Amino acid sequence: MPVELITGNQAAALAVQRAGVELVAAYPITPQTAIVETLASLHAQGELKGEFVSVESEYAALACCSGAAAAGARVFTATSSHGLAYMHEMIHWCAGARFPIVMAGVNRALGGPWCLDPDQGDSLSQRDTGWLQLYCSSAQEVFDTIIQAYALAEKIMLPCMVIYDGFYISHTYETVDIPDREEVQRFLGPPSFAAQVQPGLPANLHGLSTGETQAKLVRERHRTMKEALAVLKEINARFAAAFNRKYEPVEAYFPGKIKNVVVAAGACADTVRWCLPRLADTGLIRLKALRPFPGEEISLLLEKQKIERIVVVDRNCSTGMGGILAQELKAALYPLNSPPAVYDLILAGGIDFTPQMLQRLLAQREPHRGFAEIWGVDLL
Amino acid sequence: MNSKINFIQPEYLHSGHYACPGCGAALAVRYLARALGPDLVVVITASCWSIIAGMPPLSALKCPILHCPFPSAGAVGSGLRRGLDLRGKHSTTVLVLAGDGGTFDIGLQALSGAAQRNENFIFVCYDNEAYMNTGIQTSSATPFGAHTTTAPYPLFKKGAKKDIMHIMAAHGIPYAATATVAFPGDLEQKFRRARQIEGFRFIHILSPCPPGWGADSADTVELSRLAVETGFFPLMEIFEGGAPVLTYRPEKRVPLEQYLKLQRRFRPLELQQIETLQQGVDEEWERLLKAAGPV
Amino acid sequence: MNGEQILEMEKIYLNVVPSTANKTGEWRLLTPTRKEKISPCRQGCPLGGEIPAWLNAIKRNNWAEAWEIMQRKNPFPAITGQVCFHPCTAECNRRNLDEAINIPAMERALGLWRLQNCRPAAPPRRVEGKIAVVGSGPAGLSCAYYLNRAGYRVTVIERAPVAGGLLALGIPSYRLPREILQQELQLLQEEGVQFVLNCSVGRDMEISRLYDDYDQVFLATGAALSRMPSLPGVKLNGVWSALDFLQQVNLGRTLEIQNPVAVVGGGNAAIDAARSAMRIKGIDRVTVLYRRTKEEMPADPEEVAAAAAEGVQFVFNVTPRELKGEQGRLVEAILNRSHTSGEKLIIDRDTELRIYCKTLIFAVGQERDWSVFGTLHREIRLCAGGDLISGPAAVPQAIQAGRIAAEALAAQLEGKPGPDPSPPESGAVTFEELHLAAWPGLAARGRQEDPSAEAERCLGCGTCNSCGICYLFCPDVAVTPDQGRYLFDLNFCKGCGICARECPARALMMEGGW
Ligand SMILES: Cc1cc2nc3c(=O)[nH]c(=O)nc-3n(C[C@H](O)[C@H](O)[C@H](O)COP(=O)(O)OP(=O)(O)OC[C@H]3O[C@@H](n4cnc5c(N)ncnc54)[C@H](O)[C@@H]3O)c2cc1C
Ligand code: SF4
Ligand code: SF4
Ligand code: SF4
């Protein structure tokens, strides 16, 4: 297997090429642009088959993908920040319409003011739309997750966002193991879902419905999404067997007996992992899947340990509420008898997450009871 | 009088659809579907037709319908066309159906994008000159002088109707045409022609709306006819962004007032405003004749 | 969708059923209804023939249906198509577009179709009732046709050796080929009508016997007695009445007629006499003498023109005063100048013109023939029609009278009220009222040879012409074409009214309710 030194964005583009994507529609936005550029050059060289559409907006990118997906095509788009926000209406629509679209979401703060740093608020504000959301911590994982996202999306007919941090992952070079196209194709196969639009077969796709019909559709979508966790695990296992790299919807790194757990998603989780050998009594729970939300898995993991304190690394902030991962996590703590204290480390603005920050936080002797909100900017 | 038309053809619009009595948009789609035949897929963006098409599992059309959000029509059409091509369905006609809102206003960006890329589908704007589905609000296709619920009496729509044909012609697309329901022969011929052409095709259909225009439902065809006979809505074709070609030229233009007086939305227009409108039509007509090639 | 799982969505969106499950007819407040209005042609037609309706059937190439409609008012289109002066055509709206519909030719075509295609297998089913018809002119024949068809046994009694009345003995054969009349008579006989010829009621048989032997009697003895002026010299040899002259010609007798011939009169009988005279061997100088101007001539202008083309001369504004003869044989007529003033004819006694003629035919009037009554002394319930009642009229009027009589007699026999003699409808649809702008493809196009093509030119004028506009413009596809006819599907019609507004023929109306 060839190993290459590439960025997360390049890894994403190569995954798209290897997955046999048939239509790419995209629009430039930092820090995602390099994906589109790489795909464009692959297309120009004839390595990316099918359609490459330079559309007039992110909204159009997703709309274009939806049209092609309706015809049964495997499609891809990528965006960040304002682009993702601009797609919002289509994001809802694609989930409702059950188009198995895969999108790379490269985190970046939303204005105003203009800001390029990797705040996760852009993807997190799409978490209620019905899309699967998988957060990656490395370029390798970006590559691997995009491949698996197609398997998952096409199996359960829900669209999937593969999300990673701008710059930290999108622009840093890593060695990435890139299996060739045939190997990936063997794993993935051609798109197996039936086209919704079939010339000659009358259909009234996504036309006017009553609230009752809508309720049934949402319920079905919700149940499917919840069952998706099991499907994802299956795919993870299949992937591990084929490529020898193992992923889980939630990954726990518990070095022996621990008192503290850091919960993080994306690049921050990798920082924590690097820190673990240097910290005492501390473990990591990495959230790979945010939708479906692996709440039960998390409570099971915590139940087994005597945890005093959880630190959630939230590179986002739901204004007026706090870090979003912390809020979500609290739901997973509900079944516990004596839930640990939760420190919510808010890194809104996408500011740098440093080992020192974590060390300083954990060094506080008297743990807060209950819930504490800590602003990363104050720790810089 | 009207191009010869083969009256009896297979119909692809089912009875029982949800359009209001006398709906021009229903007629428009009935004709275009007749002209395009069975190998058709229709993308419908938010508009009266989102309702007319029926509540699934009912469907008013014999072909597949793909509904899409308001601003997305041009892009969804692009994707669907390419998706079908990927599956080898090259002969299938993709038609995108939008109202004037979905064309002149919220849909303009996607429309322009698709036109500029010369995407291979037909974009149809059935123009009833306001947001009718939501209850008659002004759009940029609303003509000067009309009342809407967002321009209630004593207000009226101030600016002129956006010249969408100019805009589309400026994209240099292979084919752009106007049509209307009183001239089904002309309309169907334009769709048959459009079907033969590769690339982006835009057809603008004036579709009278009885409740929205404050007209008698029986007058739909008459209004459509008067729109043409007065020169208010000239029937034309534009190839490759070139000179407009008139497909019908009224022998003697009927005074605009006859058209206006059948519609309560133009009541109570002051005489002076009628003159303003008439003048506008006259000037536009002269300009068009100068620009137009021979009929 | 992914082959493993049927989504709710698929069930809803992919297994669609046509919207026809939604009966939008329930929304309707007004209903399109075919409300036929009278057409100018029909108004012009003495028979009130449903011209646009049978033309429409011919347009659809449904000749059987056309015949069915035709015979409701006119059982002898082959004859009327030949001899009727077609006032229908004179009023035809299509004149305003290009040229009137050639209704006579269409009538002829339909008549010939009927003669060729309607050989009855058996007479109609019989009902109780025997009817005698006296006189076999068009009035008598028409009455016989309708009563026979209604199942009564009909006997036609005719004085002449041939049946047909003036069709046989008045109208010259160059205008009505006798084969046509023969075939019509033949068909009537095959359908069961009895003919008794050479029997003059009132002379050969008492009319009261008819009232004893039959349940009903219809008198249609016409008005074919010639009226001769009381002029000096009318008894001279070579002086004829037009009716006698034509009768002799029509019976094929050889006549003692000498050149030059003068015909006095300005009606159709005068022209017939003049043209018939021209056709006699050795006759080549025929002059029609008329007391008024050419414009005032009651004769059909086409006939006058045809006569002139054949060499007949015309002298206008002359009235004969005296006929002069030698050895009892006419040699000249002395004429006065005359002209009209208001209603009256002014004869200038001071003028004197002479015309040399060896034959002079008077076509100046007919008398009704009441000979049937003979020496009747009994009170009878009289049912009569045709020229006998109206005075000299024309073939379609006589046919109409026969039909109305048939209805009245049948009603009496069945003890039902007779037909309502409602006045003819007025207010025919004018050309301006038609909505031709709605008719795609309608273009000026003169008369066509092919009957269907000619029938297609008919605009309908108040009657559905099968143009299909209602179908074309219905936003709800609620008008269904059915072999050239258009049916309204009230399950779906929302009552918008477009069809009625656009119907070029003005044959539709929106009516309240469902
Ligand atoms: C020369 C001429 C040309 C004409 N041309 C035309 C024309 O082109 N088009 C047109 O529309 N009209 C024409 N007419 C008028 C038309 O022929 C008559 O209006 C029509 O024939 C009247 O029909 P009827 O049945 O009432 O009488 P008739 O046709 O006169 O028939 C009466 C019948 O009754 C019979 N009859 C009379 N008395 C007795 C009796 N006592 N016993 C038994 N039978 C008796 C007669 O012999 C005769 O056969 C013409 C008339 C004439 C005279
Ligand atoms: S166009 Fe037809 S219906 Fe009208 S007047 Fe002429 S024949 Fe009669
Ligand atoms: S529109 Fe034509 S087909 Fe329909 S009723 Fe009128 S004449 Fe008949
Ligand atoms: S046009 Fe159609 S829907 Fe309207 S009234 Fe006529 S039949 Fe009914």
Side-chain angles (χ1 to χ4, degrees):
Chain A
M1 263 182 239
V3 175
E4 299 191 29
L5 187 66
I6 53 175
T7 63
N9 280 345
Q10 286 169 328
L14 286 173
V16 169
Q17 189 268 339
R18 299 293 199 266
V21 165
E22 296 167 293
L23 179 138
V24 173
Y27 187 81
I29 183 168
T30 306
Q32 162 278 133
T33 314
I35 308 179
V36 189
E37 286 172 349
T38 312
L39 285 170
S41 74
L42 286 171
H43 189 254
Q45 290 150 22
E47 281 174 40
L48 178 70
K49 302 269 179 299
E51 307 278 324
F52 186 91
V53 196
S54 295
V55 288
E56 70 284 356
S57 72
E58 291 90 350
Y59 184 94
L62 189 51
C64 183
C65 284
S66 78
R74 185 173 281 169
V75 300
F76 177 81
T77 187
T79 191
S80 292
S81 180
H82 290 267
L84 193 58
Y86 190 36
M87 283 180 179
H88 184 65
E89 180 191 28
M90 279 312 305
I91 287 179
H92 270 283
W93 191 274
C94 289
R98 311 293 297 256
F99 296 136
I101 298 169
V102 173
M103 173 192 330
V106 186
N107 289 130
R108 170 187 148 186
L110 270 154
W114 288 122
C115 177
L116 301 175
D117 291 357
D119 186 296
Q120 295 162 320
D122 55 354
S123 60
L124 286 171
S125 47
Q126 306 298 341
R127 73 187 189 280
D128 300 332
T129 54
W131 283 60
L132 301 150
Q133 288 203 336
L134 305 177
Y135 287 77
C136 302
S137 304
S138 68
Q140 181 70 61
E141 190 179 6
V142 169
F143 181 92
D144 294 347
T145 305
I146 285 176
I147 307 293
Q148 294 178 64
Y150 280 106
L152 178 61
E154 290 173 12
K155 174 100 180 176
I156 64 169
M157 297 307 287
L158 279 175
C160 182
M161 279 180 212
V162 176
I163 300 156
Y164 53 96
D165 308 59
F167 304 107
Y168 294 108
I169 294 180
S170 67
H171 283 64
T172 22
Y173 284 81
E174 295 176 35
T175 52
V176 182
D177 199 348
I178 304 288
D180 59 30
R181 200 166 184 273
E182 286 62 44
E183 266 179 287
V184 174
Q185 284 301 303
R186 228 174 293 130
F187 172 77
L188 199 54
S192 63
F193 62 101
Q196 292 184 18
V197 175
Q198 300 201 21
L201 285 186
N204 192 355
L205 294 156
H206 322 301
L208 183 67
S209 303
T210 58
E212 199 182 317
T213 304
Q214 175 82 338
K216 286 184 191 159
L217 296 174
V218 173
R219 181 182 60 191
E220 182 178 58
R221 219 148 69 211
H222 176 64
R223 289 181 178 163
T224 307
M225 176 79 94
K226 290 181 93 175
E227 289 158 13
L229 221 44
V231 181
L232 178 57
K233 282 182 190 159
E234 240 174 70
I235 293 170
N236 286 160
R238 235 170 18 90
F239 188 85
F243 300 102
N244 207 16
R245 281 188 295 279
K246 218 168 140 18
Y247 300 94
E248 297 271 3
V250 235
E251 292 174 1
Y253 303 87
F254 291 170
K257 250 176 85 65
I258 50 167
K259 281 193 281 179
N260 303 313
V261 167
V262 185
V263 176
C268 299
D270 221 35
T271 309
V272 179
R273 199 158 46 194
W274 182 87
C275 296
L276 288 185
R278 296 160 184 84
L279 296 166
D281 316 331
T282 303
L284 163 69
I285 291 182
R286 179 167 85 91
L287 281 179
K288 164 111 195 227
L290 189 77
R291 285 292 177 274
F293 186 67
E296 261 174 62
E297 279 75 358
I298 297 172
S299 16
L300 276 174
L301 286 171
L302 294 176
E303 226 171 42
K304 288 186 196 135
Q305 310 284 332
K306 198 120 176 61
I307 306 287
E308 288 169 19
R309 182 166 50 181
I310 296 177
V311 176
V312 185
V313 186
D314 257 316
R315 195 127 74 182
N316 64 79
C317 178
S318 168
T319 316
M321 184 66 184
I324 293 169
L325 297 186
Q327 309 312 324
E328 299 260 326
L329 183 77
K330 278 195 264 176
L333 301 184
Y334 183 74
L336 301 186
N337 283 332
S338 51
V342 174
Y343 285 24
D344 187 10
L345 175 58
I346 298 178
L347 304 175
I351 58 168
D352 218 358
F353 174 54
T354 60
Q356 294 75 11
M357 238 179 223
L358 189 58
Q359 267 161 357
R360 274 212 271 163
L361 202 64
L362 291 171
Q364 296 187 4
R365 283 269 158 253
E366 285 296 308
H368 282 267
R369 301 216 148 264
F371 190 79
E373 196 177 276
I374 295 121
W375 277 82
V377 272
D378 298 338
L379 302 178
L380 284 178
Chain B
M1 231 144 248
N2 212 326
S3 337
K4 188 92 178 150
I5 171 170
N6 193 5
F7 277 38
I8 301 182
Q9 295 173 39
E11 299 285 347
Y12 299 95
L13 172 66
H14 290 297
S15 299
H17 59 68
Y18 288 53
C20 302
C23 175
L27 258 185
V29 172
R30 182 182 163 209
Y31 298 141
L32 67 87
R34 279 159 50 112
L36 294 175
D39 195 4
L40 174 71
V41 299
V42 179
V43 174
I44 298 179
T45 188
S47 63
C48 291
W49 252 96
S50 310
I51 310 299
I52 299 173
M55 188 182 276
L58 299 193
S59 179
L61 289 176
K62 285 190 187 160
C63 63
I65 300 170
L66 178 64
H67 292 270
C68 70
F70 215 169
S72 71
V76 172
S78 308
L80 182 59
R81 162 80 281 159
R82 290 167 185 254
L84 289 170
D85 285 345
L86 285 167
R87 291 292 172 270
K89 307 261 161 57
H90 301 290
S91 64
T92 301
T93 303
V94 173
L95 180 119
V96 172
L97 189 60
D100 44 301
T103 304
F104 289 63
D105 291 347
I106 193 169
L108 189 60
Q109 174 174 302
L111 166 61
S112 172
Q116 182 280 322
R117 293 191 301 273
N118 199 21
E119 297 281 353
N120 186 20
F121 65 86
I122 306 176
F123 191 108
V124 173
C125 170
Y126 70 92
D127 179 6
N128 49 27
E129 302 194 318
Y131 292 88
M132 295 311 185
N133 198 27
T134 43
I136 325 172
Q137 293 80 29
T138 304
S139 81
S140 60
T142 306
F144 168 88
H147 299 284
T148 65
T149 54
T150 48
Y153 183 78
L155 300 179
F156 55 84
K157 165 76 187 302
K158 290 283 158 52
K161 187 182 170 99
K162 192 186 273 183
D163 188 347
I164 195 76
M165 286 302 284
H166 238 114
I167 295 173
M168 294 319 294
H171 284 75
I173 52 176
Y175 187 69
T178 59
T180 186
V181 295
F183 298 79
D186 177 80
L187 188 151
E188 291 189 5
Q189 193 181 320
K190 284 170 178 166
F191 276 88
R192 280 194 298 272
R193 177 163 303 159
R195 201 170 67 133
Q196 302 305 321
I197 294 173
E198 276 269 321
F200 196 81
R201 292 140 285 168
F202 177 80
I203 300 183
H204 179 199
I205 307 180
L206 184 72
S207 312
C209 166
W213 293 13
D216 183 344
S217 60
D219 276 337
T220 294
V221 173
E222 180 66 14
L223 280 167
S224 158
R225 183 180 296 119
L226 281 171
V228 174
E229 296 290 353
T230 53
F232 176 83
F233 189 80
L235 295 180
M236 61 172 123
E237 292 178 314
I238 298 172
F239 296 89
E240 310 284 353
V245 182
L246 290 178
T247 58
Y248 172 78
R249 195 160 161 175
E251 266 162 43
K252 189 173 177 300
R253 278 190 300 122
V254 173
L256 192 63
E257 200 182 343
Q258 287 202 31
Y259 173 62
L260 304 179
K261 76 178 182 209
L262 291 178
Q263 308 172 49
R264 279 193 306 280
R265 64 174 173 159
F266 288 113
R267 226 181 281 162
L269 262 197
E270 307 284 329
L271 218 60
Q272 205 200 324
Q273 292 162 349
I274 297 181
E275 271 167 27
T276 311
L277 267 165
Q278 179 72 63
Q279 235 172 43
V281 168
D282 291 347
E283 282 164 16
E284 194 52 30
W285 182 256
E286 286 312 315
R287 192 192 61 75
L288 186 66
L289 286 194
K290 261 197 218 111
V295 177
Chain C
M1 195 154 276
N2 57 357
E4 290 175 25
Q5 189 186 5
I6 300 286
L7 298 179
E8 187 79 32
M9 197 190 80
E10 279 176 78
K11 285 186 244 158
I12 300 169
Y13 298 138
L14 290 174
N15 300 317
V16 284
V17 292
S19 55
T20 43
N22 184 29
K23 300 286 181 275
T24 46
E26 286 163 15
W27 307 5
R28 194 172 61 246
L29 298 176
L30 296 172
T31 300
T33 320
R34 214 162 260 137
K35 261 278 147 55
E36 317 236 302
K37 290 168 211 69
I38 187 149
S39 56
C41 55
R42 186 169 178 186
Q43 197 166 51
C45 172
L47 282 160
E50 298 162 52
I51 297 162
W54 59 257
L55 280 174
N56 176 287
I58 294 180
K59 165 179 175 176
R60 290 182 275 114
N61 246 313
N62 191 338
W63 290 78
E65 186 191 320
W67 164 246
E68 214 300 302
I69 299 167
M70 168 64 84
Q71 63 85 45
R72 283 186 223 152
K73 295 287 162 62
N74 179 2
F76 309 122
I79 293 173
T80 52
Q82 210 69 45
V83 303
C84 176
F85 298 116
H86 41 273
C88 53
T89 311
E91 298 303 319
C92 174
N93 274 337
R94 181 95 198 192
R95 279 173 312 153
N96 300 292
L97 190 62
D98 37 44
E99 207 181 340
I101 305 293
N102 195 347
I103 301 172
M106 300 302 289
E107 218 169 52
R108 244 171 358 246
L110 182 53
L112 294 180
W113 178 89
R114 125 98 170 164
L115 291 175
Q116 272 158 27
N117 296 280
C118 293
R119 292 276 145 215
R125 201 169 52 83
R126 292 296 164 199
V127 297
E128 276 301 304
K130 278 166 63 188
I131 289 143
V133 172
V134 184
S136 66
L141 293 180
S142 145
C143 182
Y145 172 87
Y146 287 108
L147 286 171
N148 179 63
R149 222 173 53 116
Y152 299 102
R153 291 180 189 283
V154 184
T155 306
V156 179
I157 302 164
E158 168 58 52
R159 177 175 60 197
V162 292
L166 287 175
L167 299 175
L169 299 175
I171 300 174
S173 61
Y174 61 84
R175 289 209 289 120
L176 175 61
R178 289 304 184 258
E179 312 85 79
I180 290 179
L181 179 59
Q182 281 321 310
Q183 286 185 57
E184 292 284 10
L185 291 168
Q186 173 85 29
L187 207 50
L188 280 173
Q189 268 173 320
E190 283 173 22
E191 282 169 359
V193 177
Q194 304 275 327
F195 284 88
V196 178
L197 301 178
N198 293 311
C199 176
S200 175
V201 177
R203 191 188 66 200
D204 303 336
M205 168 204 259
E206 279 297 318
I207 190 171
S208 45
R209 243 191 68 200
L210 292 180
Y211 285 89
D212 295 338
D213 293 354
Y214 294 87
D215 298 309
Q216 295 287 359
V217 180
F218 176 56
L219 302 179
T221 49
L225 298 180
S226 28
R227 183 197 291 159
M228 293 294 273
S230 47
L231 287 183
V234 282
K235 295 272 149 58
L236 286 167
N237 265 339
V239 180
W240 289 83
S241 85
L243 288 167
D244 291 342
F245 169 73
L246 287 168
Q247 179 161 359
Q248 294 303 311
V249 172
N250 280 324
L251 285 170
R253 309 258 160 83
T254 350
L255 301 183
E256 264 273 333
I257 299 277
Q258 289 177 31
N259 249 342
V261 178
V263 179
V264 178
N268 285 316
I271 307 295
D272 280 347
R275 291 183 68 191
S276 295
M278 264 307 217
R279 283 170 167 72
I280 294 174
K281 220 172 147 207
I283 305 293
D284 57 2
R285 286 164 64 194
V286 179
T287 308
V288 172
L289 308 174
Y290 182 50
R291 53 193 175 158
R292 302 172 202 262
T293 59
K294 182 173 185 187
E295 290 66 42
E296 289 165 283
M297 265 183 120
D300 183 42
E302 285 176 36
E303 278 296 304
V304 176
E310 286 165 15
V312 173
Q313 305 282 319
F314 287 85
V315 177
F316 296 101
N317 295 97
V318 291
T319 305
R321 191 181 71 199
E322 190 184 342
L323 310 180
K324 293 251 163 101
E326 282 168 12
Q327 293 142 13
R329 165 111 223 158
L330 176 74
V331 288
E332 72 174 353
I334 299 173
L335 315 170
N336 283 143
R337 281 250 165 237
S338 58
H339 68 275
T340 331
S341 162
E343 295 276 280
K344 273 178 65 181
L345 181 78
I346 310 290
I347 300 174
D348 183 354
R349 300 276 167 201
D350 298 336
T351 54
E352 188 183 291
L353 286 89
R354 283 155 185 270
I355 179 163
Y356 170 65
C357 54
K358 286 209 167 146
T359 306
L360 189 140
I361 304 170
F362 279 107
V364 293
Q366 291 164 243
E367 302 280 346
R368 305 179 205 205
D369 190 339
W370 295 107
S371 57
V372 277
F373 292 119
T375 52
L376 178 74
H377 294 300
R378 183 173 127 184
E379 209 173 283
I380 53 161
R381 210 174 47 231
L382 184 71
C383 176
D387 275 7
L388 176 62
I389 296 299
S390 62
V395 174
Q397 281 90 340
I399 293 176
Q400 166 87 339
R403 181 175 59 78
I404 290 172
E407 278 172 33
L409 293 177
Q412 259 177 31
L413 285 173
E414 289 156 26
K416 287 193 208 137
D420 176 20
S422 47
E425 279 179 76
S426 57
V429 176
T430 62
F431 184 72
E432 288 66 35
E433 283 173 84
L434 296 173
H435 184 39
L436 301 183
W439 199 341
L442 179 71
R445 186 166 61 111
R447 291 186 169 181
Q448 304 289 308
E449 272 301 312
D450 174 61
S452 287
E454 177 63 7
E456 212 167 293
R457 295 176 62 239
C458 171
L459 304 171
C461 312
T463 301
C464 173
N465 61 34
S466 288
C467 64
I469 293 296
C470 48
Y471 161 71
L472 185 67
F473 284 129
C474 175
D476 290 282
V477 208
V479 186
T480 321
D482 175 29
Q483 294 172 9
R485 257 176 305 208
Y486 294 89
L487 313 173
F488 293 91
D489 189 341
L490 297 184
N491 280 317
F492 301 113
C493 164
K494 292 174 187 158
C496 68
I498 293 179
C499 52
R501 182 69 44 94
E502 294 301 321
C503 171
R506 293 287 174 243
L508 294 175
M509 264 184 44
M510 298 305 288
E511 286 199 326
W514 297 281

